[in-house]
């Protein structure tokens, strides 16, 4: 992996609550979930004076981020890490101590806040970094990485859509493409001339670009709701409905509106979602025809005609 120095000495990973930490005005963003951010794992060793991390909930992903954070902070530099107590925060101090750091821990607004001065000594970071790095997973036969949605399995919703998706044709997009499961299925049709995958997660986009080697496919690290495309023949999507671990039904509804904006009249939208999500009213308002193609095992598959 190529390493590079940043044009800023201070950085932040994610969006920590502003009332809990003071960030330098010139702190650069490193989150893979904020398009346009720099990459933490691409930073040179000891290239930062300070780093603040809003720690991810998953243990493999979190330790990977902590390991790279400690690698990127210069000896004597400051690392601040925080997370809700019930979403990994209770483990932060122990994990940082396992890396060989002395930790000052405080607790405020249900968040554990850990502060570390990067030691001069070499730290045992390699195992955590390796465990959270991209991997070609045997069970999937795809490149993936801890932290990406459904990183170690085919989720049931996508499996339903893949099983029932007919041969598509023309130009289309996958809103929230993830590792590329649905794009791969769409590209089995020789009538598909192009498909663009959009995802808010840089890691997912990078994995998908390795998983799909087809000149008809393109990949975009961007908010899928702001795709900027129109007059397409088809849209496929298994949209997210959580933000920061909290159910946010409006997110999927926004994906539906974005799908309609992308389609020509007569274009088709294939959507899979958890049964309880209230998408029908938005679909009926945006599309001329909506049909439920399957409803079982807690998931529903819908076809909508623009």
């Amino acid at each position: 992996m190529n390493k590079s120095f940043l044009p800023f000495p201070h950085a932040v990973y994610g969006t920590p609550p502003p009332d809990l930490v003071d960030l330098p005005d010139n702190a650069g963003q490193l989150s893979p979930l904020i398009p346009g951010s720099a990459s933490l794992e691409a930073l040179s060793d000891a290239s930062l004076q300070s780093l603040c991390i809003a720690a991810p909930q998953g243990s493999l992903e979190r330790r990977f981020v902590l390991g790279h954070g400690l690698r990127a902070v210069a000896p004597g530099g400051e690392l601040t890490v925080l997370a809700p107590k019930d979403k990994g925060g209770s483990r932060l101090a122990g994990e940082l101590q396992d890396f060989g750091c002395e930790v000052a821990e405080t607790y405020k607004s249900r968040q554990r806040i850990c502060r570390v001065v990067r030691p001069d000594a070499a730290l045992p970071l390699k195992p955590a970094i390796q465990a959270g790095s991209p991997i070609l997973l045997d069970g999937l036969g795809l490149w993936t990485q801890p932290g990406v949605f459904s990183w170690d399995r085919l989720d049931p919703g996508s499996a339903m859509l893949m099983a029932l998706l007919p041969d598509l044709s023309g130009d289309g997009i996958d809103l929230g493409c993830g590792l590329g499961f649905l794009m791969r299925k769409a590209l089995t049709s020789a009538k598909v001339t192009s498909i663009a995958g959009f995802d808010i997660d840089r890691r997912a986009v990078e994995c998908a670009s390795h998983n799909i080697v087809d000149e008809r496919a393109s990949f975009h690290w961007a908010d899928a709701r702001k795709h900027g495309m129109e007059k397409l023949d088809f849209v496929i999507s298994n949209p997210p409905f959580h933000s920061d671990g909290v159910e946010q039904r409006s997110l999927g509804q926004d994906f539906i509106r974005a799908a309609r904006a992308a389609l020509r009249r007569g274009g088709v939208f294939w959507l899979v979602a958890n049964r309880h999500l209230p998408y029908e009213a938005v679909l009926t308002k945006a599309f001329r025809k909506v049909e439920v193609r399957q409803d079982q095992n807690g998931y529903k598959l819908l076809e909508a005609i623009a």
Side-chain angles (χ1 to χ4, degrees):
M1 179 183 297
N2 292 327
K3 303 294 183 181
S4 60
F5 281 97
L6 286 177
F8 41 78
H10 308 283
V12 58
Y13 185 101
T15 53
D19 59 324
L20 298 184
V21 291
D22 293 322
L23 297 176
D25 293 336
N26 61 343
Q29 180 58 249
L30 300 175
S31 172
L33 303 180
I34 300 177
S37 299
S39 169
L40 171 60
E41 51 267 41
L43 298 188
S44 296
D45 295 354
S47 58
L48 293 175
Q49 295 177 21
S50 72
L51 172 62
C52 179
I53 296 173
Q57 182 174 354
S59 59
L60 288 176
E61 178 188 8
R62 184 176 59 251
R63 288 176 56 80
F64 172 83
V65 172
L66 294 180
H68 270 298
L70 286 166
R71 180 192 59 76
V73 172
E78 297 180 0
L79 174 65
T80 302
V81 188
L82 67 163
K85 178 182 177 181
D86 59 347
K87 295 182 178 180
S90 62
R91 300 181 180 181
L92 287 178
E95 290 173 339
L96 290 166
Q97 289 166 352
D98 288 344
F99 285 132
C101 299
E102 293 186 9
V103 182
E105 183 180 28
T106 57
Y107 183 57
K108 183 179 180 182
S109 300
R110 300 184 178 181
Q111 297 254 352
R112 293 288 177 89
I113 306 169
C114 295
R115 292 180 170 85
V116 168
V117 174
R118 173 51 160 98
D120 291 334
L123 302 179
L125 308 177
K126 187 175 181 179
I129 290 175
Q130 287 184 332
S133 292
I135 182 174
L136 181 60
L137 201 62
D138 290 339
L140 289 177
L142 299 175
W143 282 96
T144 184
Q145 185 174 4
V148 174
F149 170 70
S150 195
W151 77 274
D152 59 351
R153 66 194 184 283
L154 173 61
D155 68 282
S158 293
M160 174 187 283
L161 180 49
M162 291 170 63
L164 297 176
L165 188 68
D167 283 350
L168 300 172
S169 62
D171 301 316
I173 54 176
D174 181 351
L175 299 181
C177 66
L179 299 176
F181 288 115
L182 301 183
M183 291 181 69
R184 280 162 56 101
K185 171 61 178 177
L187 287 165
T188 61
S189 171
K191 296 179 181 180
V192 169
T193 51
S194 73
I195 184 169
F198 286 80
D199 205 287
I200 198 74
D201 192 331
R202 169 181 54 79
R203 301 164 300 182
V205 172
E206 291 175 351
C207 287
S209 68
H210 289 295
N211 293 330
I212 300 172
V213 181
D214 191 311
E215 63 182 9
R216 296 173 293 168
S218 62
F219 307 91
H220 307 269
W221 179 26
D223 186 336
R225 297 167 294 180
K226 303 174 182 178
H227 52 73
M229 304 185 77
E230 59 183 6
K231 298 182 180 180
L232 299 177
D233 301 296
F234 67 88
V235 177
I236 52 178
S237 186
N238 179 5
F241 61 97
H242 287 90
S243 179
D244 295 326
V246 178
E247 184 171 308
Q248 186 176 329
R249 299 182 177 188
S250 63
L251 188 56
Q253 294 169 347
D254 287 343
F255 268 60
I256 292 169
R257 298 184 185 98
R260 179 60 188 91
L263 289 168
R264 61 169 175 80
R265 182 176 176 82
V268 62
F269 176 36
W270 285 91
L271 166 74
V272 67
N274 291 63
R275 178 184 293 152
H276 74 281
L277 294 171
Y279 291 163
E280 284 77 4
V282 179
L283 282 163
T284 301
K285 183 177 181 180
F287 290 84
R288 292 187 297 122
K289 182 180 179 181
V290 179
E291 293 190 35
V292 178
R293 292 302 187 186
Q294 189 167 80
D295 186 339
Q296 68 179 30
N297 300 325
Y299 292 88
K300 55 188 176 185
L301 178 64
L302 302 105
E303 179 188 13
I305 305 299

